[in-house]
Amino acid sequence: LAGKEHADAIHQLEYRISRLEGVLLLNKIITESGGKIFATNGKRADFDATVEKCKEAGGSIATPKSPGENDAILYFVKYFNTYAYLGIKQSLIPGKFQLLNGAQLTYTNWYANEPSGQGEE
């Protein structure tokens, strides 16, 4: 049993290292919040390409679920002086938003009257 526990621990470490290597391949900026790693390569891309790049790195597009995670994403926005895509989409109900998998948002930090559905948000 001890051998199996060691093998499981090694497998978990190999998996975590693999994921970290994927993130490091983005090769520019990395920050952490709440045990999550947030990373960017700083390059402009469309939403679908961003989602795919995140999957290739073993992660997912950033979706802030706390003020700390929101700050981690905001760090990149300020650093690169640009916007950031989030793992959020408009639901079938106009003006309501949800996670990409359809789950309800548990955290938001919108400006007043936003998102308004006007322009690119």
Side-chain angles (χ1 to χ4, degrees):
L1 184 62
K4 180 172 178 5
E5 289 175 353
H6 288 295
D8 288 345
I10 290 169
H11 178 39
Q12 288 175 3
L13 287 172
E14 287 173 339
Y15 174 73
R16 291 182 68 189
I17 289 168
S18 173
R19 288 190 60 197
L20 287 171
E21 286 173 342
V23 169
L24 291 173
L25 287 174
L26 293 172
N27 199 21
K28 288 290 180 214
I29 303 293
I30 296 174
T31 191
E32 184 270 336
S33 178
K36 293 181 182 177
I37 296 172
F38 294 83
T40 183
N41 61 11
K43 297 178 182 175
R44 292 189 181 268
D46 64 34
F47 182 79
D48 293 330
T50 301
V51 170
E52 187 58 34
K53 216 32 145 170
C54 290
K55 284 181 185 177
E56 287 174 11
S60 61
I61 193 165
T63 306
K65 296 182 180 175
S66 71
E69 291 178 12
N70 193 74
D71 288 345
I73 297 164
L74 186 58
Y75 168 80
F76 296 134
V77 169
K78 289 178 179 179
Y79 184 88
F80 289 103
N81 191 30
T82 190
Y83 59 87
Y85 292 120
L86 301 176
I88 298 170
K89 66 180 181 178
Q90 189 163 342
S91 73
L92 297 175
I93 302 167
K96 299 291 182 185
F97 290 79
Q98 62 191 24
L99 300 178
L100 293 180
N101 66 7
Q104 184 177 349
L105 294 178
T106 57
Y107 170 82
T108 61
N109 188 27
W110 311 120
Y111 284 121
N113 303 315
E114 294 292 348
S116 65
Q118 304 297 313
E120 293 185 22
E121 299 185 289

